Amino acid sequence: LAQGWPKPRSATAALQQQAGKRERMVKISVLRDCLNGIVNAEKRGKRQVLVRPSSKVIIKFLQVMQKHGYIGDLEIVDDH
């Protein structure tokens, strides 16, 4: 960079600086995180996966996968 020019920064960093605080990261896709967890557990040879957080979409998706034989037992625990 040439002298006197400010260092470029991302729009997110600029907004955080303007707000004067750091924002927490949020999960964009819980379904993607769920499927990544299942794939990673399978690669490591695990037979069980705990999926958190859960949603109606994830539950329906896993039930369809179970119906078609892609996953075995499915246990849904409602802790509310």
Side-chain angles (χ1 to χ4, degrees):
L1 293 173
Q3 291 181 350
W5 288 92
K7 182 179 177 184
R9 51 185 188 169
S10 69
T12 304
L15 290 174
Q16 287 176 350
Q17 185 178 9
Q18 288 174 1
K21 61 182 178 179
R22 292 192 82 129
E23 296 293 326
R24 285 183 21 179
M25 295 281 298
V26 295
K27 288 194 174 194
I28 301 299
S29 174
V30 291
L31 180 57
R32 182 189 68 200
D33 292 341
C34 169
L35 295 176
N36 279 338
I38 292 171
V39 168
N40 290 339
E42 186 176 10
K43 286 179 182 177
R44 295 193 60 167
K46 305 285 184 176
R47 300 202 32 93
Q48 292 183 347
V49 180
L50 177 63
V51 176
R52 293 183 70 184
S54 183
S55 70
K56 292 177 186 178
V57 172
I58 290 175
I59 292 170
K60 288 290 187 185
F61 187 84
L62 293 176
Q63 287 172 339
V64 169
M65 287 181 65
Q66 183 183 27
K67 177 182 167 187
H68 291 282
Y70 290 104
I71 60 174
D73 293 334
L74 176 64
E75 180 180 349
I76 302 166
V77 178
D78 185 14
D79 56 355
H80 283 90

